[in-house]
Amino acid sequence: IALNNSLDWTWMDISVFAFLVQVLPPVNFTLTVSALAQVLLQWEPNPAQEQNNSTIRYGVKILSPVPEEYDTERTRSVRTAALHNGFSARVRTVLLHGDLQMSSPWLEGALPPLPGAVETSVTNLSCVTHVTIPGNVSLRCTWLPGQGAPEDTKYFLFYRYETHTEECPTYTRDKWSRNTECSFPSTQIKPGEIDSLIVIHINGSSKRAAIKPFQQLFNQNAIEKVNVPRNISISLEQNDLLAMWEKPISPFHEECFEYEFYLINLKSGNKQILKISSNSFQLRLDGSSRYSIRIRANHNHICRARGFWSDWSEIIYVGKNSHCSTAGEPMLPNQERVQHP
């Protein structure tokens, strides 16, 4: 065979290398539950693997509950996942030699589903965090008993944040005395973190059935109920409404918030909700009318995942009293009558 240039030599070198070197899968692949909803994946290099001046990496593929694929130089990996329906993954050796990459067959491992009777797990789990004072975060979760859960079922909730795990101190019960709500007045959740995970684990006991545990992961920012805007100042100068307020109690800066301004003309009955991106606002109004005003806040997409809207502020009235009725408080918009927990 005539080799006419360096590319031919390179091709021949790679072909010979691929022919002579066998890529072997890792050995002793194990999956271990290391914390609530956390799996430690470990393996060892194959002792028979020839390296021949090549770089060895490992490809990891998570099959369930949430597919994921990545490479690593290490022989261990930690993954957070809901484990009540089991966990499965694969690992393989990846050999890098110049521009050539070769992989071994996959080595697979699995954790079985958590034990328990069908339809005894909780359903409709919903959780909300709230910054009660700077630096302190509360947590509240609600759920429904599983359709197959006996009336004597007792549910118990645990949360994990980073390395801290804690059982619920205070429960609320349904008419069968089953725990269906949990409240943590104070937690180890850090209010200034971005997109950290909160793990919720609920298991149970019954004399009539084995209760299957349930786990769910929550983005802490996505379940935070924002505080109400502070120090709201509203004035009416001739026909101009001037409004100013301060951002809610939060470790995040002013630019991380957006607001809704709920304005009702009590003379005409006209209602409108205006979206505001700053903490001040000016609007031309009918100076002969009286108005009710409320403001609420949420995070915007600039800094973090949006959470739940805050409650509406207390009503503030401005304008003239004549030609309108102010009896009772104005109704909030229909879509706001049902709030998140």
Side-chain angles (χ1 to χ4, degrees), residues 299-338:
H299 299 117
N300 59 32
H301 67 279
I302 296 175
C303 298
R304 53 185 291 184
R306 287 186 58 181
F308 299 141
W309 283 96
S310 73
D311 292 330
W312 290 99
S313 66
E314 294 295 324
I315 296 177
I316 298 175
Y317 294 99
V318 295
K320 296 183 178 180
N321 289 316
S322 59
H323 308 299
C324 66
S325 171
T326 60
E329 292 190 352
M331 288 292 290
L332 294 177
N334 289 335
Q335 63 270 29
E336 304 304 334
R337 292 178 184 172
V338 178

Side-chain angles (χ1 to χ4, degrees), residues 137-141 143 155-159 164-173 179 181-187:
V137 177
S138 66
L139 172 66
R140 175 174 171 261
C141 295
W143 61 89
Y155 288 114
F156 305 98
L157 181 144
F158 300 78
Y159 90 90
H164 179 81
T165 300
E166 186 177 344
E167 182 180 357
C168 180
T170 306
Y171 291 103
T172 300
R173 300 178 178 179
N179 295 333
E181 181 179 325
C182 162
S183 297
F184 291 88
S186 180
T187 67

Side-chain angles (χ1 to χ4, degrees), residues 3 116 150 194 293 306:
L3 300 176
I194 301 293
I293 296 164
R306 287 186 58 181

Side-chain angles (χ1 to χ4, degrees), residues 236 238-241 263 272 283-287 291 293 318:
L236 190 60
Q238 296 182 348
N239 291 338
D240 288 326
L241 174 71
L263 180 71
Q272 54 184 321
L283 181 68
R284 177 59 60 94
L285 295 177
D286 176 8
Y291 296 86
I293 296 164
V318 295

Side-chain angles (χ1 to χ4, degrees), residues 280-295:
S280 63
F281 182 59
Q282 183 172 345
L283 181 68
R284 177 59 60 94
L285 295 177
D286 176 8
S288 66
S289 296
R290 182 168 171 79
Y291 296 86
S292 73
I293 296 164
R294 282 184 166 182
I295 304 173

Side-chain angles (χ1 to χ4, degrees), residues 190-196 219-221 252 303-305:
K190 301 171 185 177
E193 293 296 306
I194 301 293
D195 295 336
S196 294
N219 178 323
Q220 74 170 76
N221 304 143
F252 289 89
C303 298
R304 53 185 291 184

Side-chain angles (χ1 to χ4, degrees), residues 70-295:
Y70 55 95
D71 287 347
T72 178
E73 296 179 351
R74 305 179 65 188
T75 57
R76 55 179 286 152
S77 180
V78 176
R79 280 298 178 268
T80 300
L83 302 179
H84 54 275
N85 288 328
F87 181 94
S88 62
R90 294 173 176 172
V91 64
R92 66 181 177 182
T93 304
V94 179
L95 206 62
L96 303 174
H97 182 80
D99 294 331
L100 179 66
Q101 175 175 310
M102 297 181 294
S103 301
S104 74
W106 290 103
L107 185 64
E108 189 165 335
L111 292 172
L114 299 180
V118 176
E119 294 189 335
T120 57
S121 298
V122 302
T123 62
N124 290 40
L125 175 62
S126 175
C127 294
V128 174
T129 62
H130 187 73
V131 179
T132 55
I133 58 174
N136 183 66
V137 177
S138 66
L139 172 66
R140 175 174 171 261
C141 295
T142 62
W143 61 89
L144 296 177
Q147 292 185 354
E151 293 181 4
D152 72 336
T153 300
K154 301 294 183 185
Y155 288 114
F156 305 98
L157 181 144
F158 300 78
Y159 90 90
R160 179 175 69 82
Y161 184 80
E162 297 178 344
T163 60
H164 179 81
T165 300
E166 186 177 344
E167 182 180 357
C168 180
T170 306
Y171 291 103
T172 300
R173 300 178 178 179
D174 65 10
K175 63 181 180 180
W176 290 287
S177 295
R178 297 179 297 190
N179 295 333
T180 56
E181 181 179 325
C182 162
S183 297
F184 291 88
S186 180
T187 67
Q188 296 296 311
I189 298 169
K190 301 171 185 177
E193 293 296 306
I194 301 293
D195 295 336
S196 294
L197 290 177
I198 300 171
V199 173
I200 301 296
H201 173 98
I202 303 179
N203 57 24
S205 64
S206 167
K207 295 180 180 179
R208 298 164 51 188
I211 306 302
K212 184 179 176 66
F214 179 79
Q215 296 180 342
Q216 189 166 338
L217 312 180
F218 293 96
N219 178 323
Q220 74 170 76
N221 304 143
I223 64 169
E224 179 182 335
K225 183 172 183 179
V226 179
N227 284 297
V228 177
R230 299 173 295 161
N231 298 329
I232 300 171
S233 174
I234 307 290
S235 62
L236 190 60
E237 298 181 5
Q238 296 182 348
N239 291 338
D240 288 326
L241 174 71
L242 305 177
M244 298 181 63
W245 57 87
E246 295 180 14
K247 75 176 183 71
I249 295 175
S250 170
F252 289 89
H253 298 297
E254 174 58 47
E255 62 267 19
C256 295
F257 294 90
E258 62 182 355
Y259 304 92
E260 286 190 343
F261 194 88
Y262 183 36
L263 180 71
I264 301 179
N265 185 322
L266 298 174
K267 178 180 178 181
S268 66
N270 183 52
K271 305 175 183 179
Q272 54 184 321
I273 296 180
L274 306 172
K275 292 191 178 294
I276 312 297
S277 58
S278 66
N279 61 341
S280 63
F281 182 59
Q282 183 172 345
L283 181 68
R284 177 59 60 94
L285 295 177
D286 176 8
S288 66
S289 296
R290 182 168 171 79
Y291 296 86
S292 73
I293 296 164
R294 282 184 166 182
I295 304 173

